[in-house]
Amino acid sequence: MLMGLLAIAGREIREGSRNHWIVASTLLLATLSLTIAILGSTPTGTVKANALDIVVVSLSSLTTLLVPLISLLLAHDAIVGEQERGTLLLLLSYPVARSQVLIGKFIGHLSLLCFATLIGYSAAAIAVTARGDLTPQESWHSFSVMVGSSILLGAVFISIGYAISVHVASRGAAVIAAVGVWLLFVLLYDMALLGILVLDQGRHIGPTGFNVLLLLNPNDAYRVLNLTASADVRLLSGMAGMSAGAQLHPTFLIADLSVWVVIPLLAARVKFERKEL
């Protein structure tokens, strides 16, 4: 079973490495993170903020836009695309179970995302280190949490992409569904949440209800996790009051993101096992 998973994962990595947009995504993340690191050093003398904390705040906001999009582009046609090209039946003719195909593809796509994220965000860390400023250990911890949780957020949307891919009938429908999911979680959900909170004015939605609403969006769970990672980050991001109101422990937020990975992937597996090819 392990050899089958590794073979499928290796196939996805080889195919992904030949895609120019994978390289472009890595370069985009590296360029943006490097730019943030360089420009982020400008206000440190005024507000006495650490450069790496500024990078964490800026990259956390950038990640909620780019990483879900990159992940959905990776995964939205993982199954339906192979089906349309006629390669899925050939793949399943080998002694591998459908669940192995799905998990192997997930490992391969997640590996590609890990590569792009680590290379891209390492550029910011190198730029901050090259400046020679003393960076507190707490800031490095916040940066490490951001990188790890960015990969976890990507895993969420890869999983959602697979759920899309096994339920739609064509690549065109998969693209439309992926764009709709991206708009929902990145833009529309928070706009709706803000409107609900304004209309409610604290009459019905208390702290517990607010926490639940945040956890229903993986982007919001990621944002709270990283923008409340330390006192300096909370101050820079304007989330000092938010962290007190949300009262969500980092372990709980990571668990929530993990659940967001597992549930769509299980849904994709169940549908794929029953899918007629």
Side-chain angles (χ1 to χ4, degrees):
M1 179 177 179
L2 179 60
M3 295 302 296
L5 288 176
L6 293 178
I8 299 296
R11 175 179 177 270
E12 293 302 319
I13 292 172
R14 287 191 298 272
E15 290 187 358
S17 63
R18 291 195 292 267
N19 290 337
H20 295 301
W21 74 267
I22 295 291
V23 178
S25 298
T26 304
L27 293 176
L28 176 63
L29 289 175
T31 301
L32 291 174
S33 63
L34 187 60
T35 302
I36 288 170
I38 294 173
L39 296 180
S41 63
T42 304
T44 56
T46 303
V47 300
K48 306 298 182 184
N50 185 274
L52 194 60
D53 289 333
I54 295 175
V55 168
V56 170
V57 172
S58 301
L59 282 183
S60 295
S61 299
L62 182 68
T63 297
T64 58
L65 297 174
L66 288 182
V67 168
L69 182 60
I70 293 171
S71 302
L72 287 169
L73 288 174
L74 270 174
H76 75 282
D77 66 343
I79 302 300
V80 71
E82 294 244 27
Q83 187 175 3
E84 285 194 354
R85 291 190 296 268
T87 56
L88 185 58
L89 284 175
L90 177 62
L91 182 61
L92 293 175
S93 68
Y94 292 99
V96 291
R98 293 192 180 193
S99 59
Q100 289 179 271
V101 171
L102 195 68
I103 301 301
K105 282 177 170 288
F106 179 82
I107 293 172
H109 285 147
L110 186 58
S111 298
L112 291 170
L113 180 69
C114 285
F115 174 81
T117 304
L118 291 174
I119 295 298
Y121 289 177
S122 292
I126 292 171
V128 170
T129 303
R131 293 181 63 237
D133 294 343
L134 182 63
T135 303
Q137 185 176 356
E138 186 179 24
S139 298
W140 283 113
H141 174 73
S142 298
F143 181 80
S144 300
V145 170
M146 184 205 67
V147 174
S149 60
S150 296
I151 294 171
L152 183 56
L153 181 67
V156 169
F157 283 92
I158 290 174
S159 181
I160 293 173
Y162 286 172
I164 291 171
S165 191
V166 299
H167 281 87
V168 297
S170 67
R171 294 180 68 187
V175 170
I176 294 173
V179 172
V181 167
W182 184 82
L183 288 173
L184 173 64
F185 286 115
V186 173
L187 297 174
L188 299 180
Y189 185 91
D190 287 340
M191 292 174 61
L193 177 58
L194 179 60
I196 291 172
L197 292 176
V198 170
L199 291 174
D200 183 72
Q201 294 183 351
R203 290 191 295 267
H204 303 97
I205 302 176
T208 301
F210 181 58
N211 290 343
V212 171
L213 291 174
L214 288 177
L215 296 175
L216 291 176
N217 185 349
N219 257 13
D220 285 338
Y222 169 88
R223 189 179 291 113
V224 173
L225 174 64
N226 287 283
L227 297 186
T228 61
S230 67
D232 289 339
V233 170
R234 287 195 295 270
L235 183 63
L236 282 171
S237 62
M239 297 281 283
M242 167 77 174
S243 62
Q247 295 179 348
L248 290 169
H249 193 273
T251 303
F252 193 73
L253 292 166
I254 293 172
D256 177 67
L257 288 171
S258 300
V259 169
W260 269 103
V261 175
V262 172
I263 290 179
L265 196 58
L266 285 177
R269 177 182 174 179
V270 170
K271 178 65 177 179
F272 189 40
E273 293 283 358
R274 301 174 180 175
K275 192 177 180 68
E276 294 184 4
L277 303 176

